[in-house]
Amino acid sequence: MKVLKFGGTSVGSAQRIKEVAELVINGQKKIVVLSAMSGTTNSLVEIANYLYKKNHEGAKEVINKLEHKYYQEVEALYSEETYKKKGHALIKTHFEYLKSFTKDLFTVFEEKTILAQGELISTAMFHYYLQERKQKSDILPALDYMRIDKNNEPDAEYIKLNIKKVLAAKPDVDIYITQGFICRNAFGEVDNLQRGGSDYSASLIGAAIKAEEIQIWTDIDGMHNNDPRYVEKTQSISDLSFDEAAELAYFGAKILHPTSVLPAKLGNIPVRLLNTLEPHAHGTLISSQQQKKRITAVAAKDDITAIKIKSGRMLLAYGFLRKVFEIFESYKTPIDMITTSEVGVSVTIDNNRHLDEIVDDLKKYGTVEVDRDQIIICVVGDLIAENNGYANKIFDAMQDIPIRMISYGGSNYNVSILINAADKKAALNALSEKLF
Ligand code: ADP
Ligand code: ASP
Ligand code: MG
């Protein structure tokens, strides 16, 4: 069975939803994972933020605007009166629920439930549409099988066991429709897989059922060799290895959620990135095949902070790096890049939540400097040492950009370069010009 995930833009209007239906109605059994209609999750975040601040009027305004949009989409989506009525009732239920928080208590638990409404609505709307089209479709409720553990990591065993149960309970179905993004946590509460997490849902489901293929349908024809939001004339890459795709997703290629490649890689399940607007384009096939001797793509990861710890006396003493790492570990803050020299060590992090405490603790071991507003540029490809000349090309392209850190050799697929955020566009464009 294949798993097909459609992102926000792909289900962003009644017309788009109809186009998705054309793509999934073909008599083959499949699981369809849907995101919320585009813009919805952002609006839900906005609503939650207003509720936190007890600004009920602000929340109501966003709720009403969103509700109005949904009634219009329902009108445009269904032809039969019965289904229009069902659609209206659906929207009414979900929006009454959202409105209830402008009167009742609001806490972090309710916030997660609010964020879940987008995917709950889009899947129900799609299911009704397929019913109107006389298809054998049904909902697989993600909250019945998708689960994260105490460390907020997916609970693979639980997911495998429970998705099989819910599938077995509905054998006579061609098109199973399920919610991306949403899950339950270790306490059984509604939670989510972080923003953009529907891709992760699809690959977790694919791995759990040992799918024949995972398809990620979006608004572009596959992974491009540079970020199309910053560089003109980027090109779609026809084949990527799991490792290359994982590096690109982790380092900012928004088309894939950072963690979504791993479950597919572990299960050796091919992932295809496809374009809903151009369904016959080849897109990108991600598999275990690594193409040799090429620089594949460039991506950039934002909001990076660099921390330099200088300590002439202690640095190369053994145990020093362990103490430094332990400080980051104690604040559950992962390190992205690391470089060392005789007198200091520099690391980068992408999460400043505990920056002040980390810096205070690090001061025990030397002087500490912090640089905010940095980004990591990541160049991905077959970059093993024997392919000499590639590093030269990369740095030649970057000659006018101040480089603060370089990391190479951590894997055979990646060179990471830390630069000022202000230089992002210039750097991405210079790399495209010299590398592709
Ligand atoms: P969806 O809503 O379908 O999940 P996303 O907006 O999350 O879609 O991802 C698709 C977008 O990712 C594209 O529209 C594109 O602007 C952006 N993007 C960033 N980097 C890349 C890249 N290297 N290749 C393709 N798309 C990219
Ligand atoms: N709807 C969620 C978001 O906007 C999940 C997703 O689209 O992948 O973040
Ligand atoms: Mg996405």
Side-chain angles (χ1 to χ4, degrees), residues 3-7 10 198-203 213-220 222 255-257 260 271-276 284 286:
V3 176
L4 290 75
K5 176 257 168 175
F6 294 87
S10 303
S198 294
D199 302 330
Y200 202 15
S201 305
S203 69
E213 182 172 289
I214 299 162
Q215 299 183 347
I216 307 286
W217 288 83
T218 180
D219 58 359
I220 188 164
I255 186 170
L256 272 181
H257 183 269
S260 62
V271 179
R272 229 176 251 283
L273 308 180
L274 293 161
N275 187 354
T276 329
T284 301
I286 305 170

Side-chain angles (χ1 to χ4, degrees), residues 337-395:
M337 266 176 91
I338 167 160
T339 55
T340 59
S341 82
E342 173 64 15
V343 291
V345 48
S346 289
V347 301
T348 69
I349 57 173
D350 66 359
N351 170 354
N352 284 348
R353 209 172 310 138
H354 299 291
L355 182 62
D356 293 341
E357 294 107 304
I358 289 173
V359 169
D360 276 347
D361 287 5
L362 286 172
K363 279 181 181 161
K364 279 187 266 177
Y365 303 114
T367 53
V368 180
E369 282 171 30
V370 174
D371 274 321
R372 292 167 188 263
D373 298 325
Q374 306 290 299
I375 63 158
I376 296 174
I377 298 274
C378 163
V379 182
V380 163
D382 177 27
L383 298 170
I384 54 166
E386 286 68 28
N387 291 340
N388 33 340
Y390 284 170
N392 196 21
K393 270 192 180 171
I394 295 167
F395 293 112

Side-chain angles (χ1 to χ4, degrees), residues 5 7-8 35-37 40-42 115 119 180-181 194-199 257:
K5 176 257 168 175
S35 293
M37 293 177 85
T40 301
T41 313
N42 286 346
L115 294 195
E119 273 72 10
F181 179 57
Q194 310 290 326
R195 295 303 308 272
S198 294
D199 302 330
H257 183 269

Side-chain angles (χ1 to χ4, degrees), residues 124-174:
M125 279 172 70
F126 190 58
H127 174 48
Y128 288 157
Y129 181 67
L130 292 184
Q131 298 274 286
E132 193 185 56
R133 300 272 311 260
K134 308 274 182 286
Q135 297 299 307
K136 284 200 261 174
S137 77
D138 209 340
I139 299 274
L140 283 188
L143 299 179
D144 289 354
Y145 66 84
M146 192 55 81
R147 199 176 175 106
I148 48 176
D149 63 17
K150 280 190 192 141
N151 300 315
N152 290 336
E153 293 293 332
D155 186 338
E157 276 311 305
Y158 182 97
I159 298 167
K160 202 154 93 185
L161 198 75
N162 286 280
I163 196 165
K164 284 189 181 148
K165 268 192 210 162
V166 289
L167 281 168
K170 297 175 174 175
D172 193 28
V173 170
D174 281 343

Side-chain angles (χ1 to χ4, degrees), residues 6 12 18 20 33 57 90 96 173 188 198 225 230 250 261-262 285 300 312-313 320 326-327 337 366 368 379:
F6 294 87
K18 291 180 190 178
V20 169
V33 183
E57 286 315 305
L90 171 81
E96 298 273 286
V173 170
S198 294
N225 58 5
Y230 294 88
Y250 186 73
V261 180
L262 187 64
L285 176 64
R313 206 162 51 87
F320 174 75
E326 269 171 5
I327 292 171
M337 266 176 91
V368 180
V379 182

Side-chain angles (χ1 to χ4, degrees), residues 67 71 86-100 117 121 128:
E67 184 178 19
Y71 280 124
K86 279 189 176 202
H88 277 278
L90 171 81
I91 303 306
K92 187 156 183 272
T93 315
H94 286 277
F95 280 85
E96 298 273 286
Y97 181 67
L98 287 176
K99 285 173 198 164
S100 73
Q117 301 308 307
I121 300 175
Y128 288 157

Side-chain angles (χ1 to χ4, degrees), residues 167-185:
L167 281 168
K170 297 175 174 175
D172 193 28
V173 170
D174 281 343
I175 305 172
Y176 294 100
I177 305 162
T178 191
Q179 298 84 17
F181 179 57
I182 67 175
C183 63
R184 288 194 189 274
N185 61 25

